[in-house]
Amino acid sequence: MIELMRTNDVVIISFVESLLRDAGIDVLVADQNMSVLDGSVGILPRRLLVSDDDADAARRILVDAGIGHEMRKK
């Protein structure tokens, strides 16, 4: 699995999950339950992970959707 993105923005997380799942790409949102530890303040970012095999396709989808700037550098 590779980390595609790390963000606190729940709207972006939801959008990316939707885009990737619609394209048949499984995505794992890691650290989403960490809000229990940070008191739901949202200071701990969530990580979006995809399989190594789907990474290039996922990156293309995010660039095409206009949110490529949100991705982690390779």
Side-chain angles (χ1 to χ4, degrees), residues 4-15:
L4 189 63
M5 170 182 300
R6 184 180 297 200
T7 183
N8 293 339
D9 190 331
V10 295
V11 173
I12 295 226
I13 291 169
S14 178
F15 182 54

Side-chain angles (χ1 to χ4, degrees), residues 8-61:
N8 293 339
D9 190 331
V10 295
V11 173
I12 295 226
I13 291 169
S14 178
F15 182 54
V16 170
E17 278 185 289
S18 178
L19 284 173
L20 296 181
R21 289 202 171 120
D22 284 351
I25 297 174
D26 290 328
V27 59
L28 170 69
V29 180
D31 307 323
Q32 85 182 356
N33 294 322
M34 292 300 290
S35 63
V36 171
L37 295 177
D38 76 9
S40 299
V41 176
I43 58 172
L44 297 174
R46 280 59 168 175
R47 295 175 295 137
L48 283 87
L49 307 168
V50 295
S51 73
D52 294 342
D53 294 338
D54 291 329
D56 289 336
R59 285 188 178 99
R60 279 192 302 275
I61 289 167

